[in-house]
Amino acid sequence: MSEAGERSALAVQLADVFSHQVNFVNDVQEGDSFELVVEKKYLGSEFRRYGDIVAARFTNDGRLYEAFRFFDDKGVAHYYAADGTSLETQFLKAPLNFTRISSRYSMHRRHPVFGKVRPHQGVDYAAPKGTPVKALGGGKVTFVGWKSGYGKSVAIRHGGGIETHYAHLSRYARGLKKGDSVEQGQVIAYVGATGTATGPHLDFRVKKNGAFIDPLKLSGGRSASIAPAQRRLFEKQVAQARLMLDGEDIVAVK
């Protein structure tokens, strides 16, 4: 993104658009490419900030992904593929931007502190202290507090019998408390090393109907596609967006 003359904030926005399709920490590789149309906000001739990404393409390992912004009947922007299917799913690929997976789901892992072989029914994401932790999906907070060796922890109940658990946190999002409703992608806490931990990371766990499952195998339903009554308008906007993606003209709006 910097080679294109843009700021790192735009790279984060692009990753957010395709966050349900591509893991931008592990999956991105040399040879991938992107094109996008983005709103830019100016005060006179001075650039102040980015607005929404209007349309984008991302090619990852030879596979092309496209995203087109469209406002629903409530005025809320969502992203869709060209055929009108939603890019949004019930759960994000991961609850944070991480450097690596330091420990996977296993029933026979040797504990790094105690040295004993015991189940590790979650995924450890290594990340710097203070990295924002996001709710994997929308739901209700069922726990905020200290939980033995897990240190500062948060638990969220989602639909379909799914619960997500976030542990070893350094601190919580301001004002977060039990009973709060949170949206998908909302920052709920920050990475730390509280409790029994050898270094900063997020211990992330998922329960389905009360039993732990491998978080990397979690799947959720896709959000609704474009409504039939809005399809013609959507297709018109896709055609216009593709002209901008394929061209080099800057569209100025006063």
Side-chain angles (χ1 to χ4, degrees), residues 109-183:
R109 184 192 73 155
R110 185 172 296 279
H111 195 281
V113 175
F114 302 118
K116 296 181 179 180
V117 175
R118 59 171 65 177
H120 181 252
Q121 294 177 294
V123 172
D124 287 350
Y125 292 105
K129 181 180 178 180
T131 299
V133 176
K134 303 175 183 179
L136 201 73
K140 179 168 287 189
V141 177
T142 57
F143 181 85
V144 178
W146 187 274
K147 193 173 183 180
S148 187
Y150 295 108
K152 292 182 178 179
S153 302
V154 173
I156 300 174
R157 184 176 66 245
H158 311 273
I162 299 296
E163 295 177 348
T164 53
H165 298 254
Y166 314 77
H168 301 309
L169 307 167
S170 61
R171 60 187 176 96
Y172 312 110
R174 181 174 297 179
L176 187 75
K177 62 184 183 300
K178 181 179 178 180
D180 284 352
S181 293
V182 294
E183 298 179 355

Side-chain angles (χ1 to χ4, degrees), residues 25-203:
V25 176
N26 283 354
D27 294 346
V28 176
Q29 56 191 284
E30 186 175 356
D32 288 356
S33 62
F34 66 88
E35 300 153 349
L36 60 88
V37 177
V38 63
E39 297 171 339
K40 290 185 174 182
K41 309 291 186 178
Y42 288 84
L43 182 61
S45 60
E46 181 184 357
F47 171 73
R48 301 304 296 269
R49 64 181 177 87
Y50 296 108
D52 286 349
I53 289 176
V54 177
R57 292 181 180 132
F58 192 86
T59 302
N60 172 236
D61 195 22
R63 182 174 180 180
L64 174 65
Y65 298 93
E66 289 186 311
F68 300 93
R69 183 190 66 177
F70 189 76
F71 291 93
D72 63 20
D73 54 7
K74 297 180 180 178
V76 179
H78 300 278
Y79 290 96
Y80 300 86
D83 64 0
T85 57
S86 175
L87 295 188
E88 300 170 4
T89 56
Q90 185 180 2
F91 301 110
L92 300 175
K93 285 282 189 180
L96 77 170
N97 295 324
F98 57 96
T99 56
R100 62 189 174 88
I101 293 177
S102 54
S103 184
R104 294 176 180 267
Y105 183 95
S106 172
M107 298 304 291
H108 303 91
R109 184 192 73 155
R110 185 172 296 279
H111 195 281
V113 175
F114 302 118
K116 296 181 179 180
V117 175
R118 59 171 65 177
H120 181 252
Q121 294 177 294
V123 172
D124 287 350
Y125 292 105
K129 181 180 178 180
T131 299
V133 176
K134 303 175 183 179
L136 201 73
K140 179 168 287 189
V141 177
T142 57
F143 181 85
V144 178
W146 187 274
K147 193 173 183 180
S148 187
Y150 295 108
K152 292 182 178 179
S153 302
V154 173
I156 300 174
R157 184 176 66 245
H158 311 273
I162 299 296
E163 295 177 348
T164 53
H165 298 254
Y166 314 77
H168 301 309
L169 307 167
S170 61
R171 60 187 176 96
Y172 312 110
R174 181 174 297 179
L176 187 75
K177 62 184 183 300
K178 181 179 178 180
D180 284 352
S181 293
V182 294
E183 298 179 355
Q184 183 182 67
Q186 179 177 331
V187 174
I188 57 171
Y190 299 86
V191 168
T194 55
T196 305
T198 57
H201 71 284
L202 174 70
D203 183 327

Side-chain angles (χ1 to χ4, degrees), residues 70-73 80 225-235:
F70 189 76
F71 291 93
D72 63 20
D73 54 7
Y80 300 86
S225 300
I226 293 292
Q230 295 180 305
R231 181 162 291 276
R232 290 187 65 180
L233 176 60
F234 173 73
E235 291 175 347

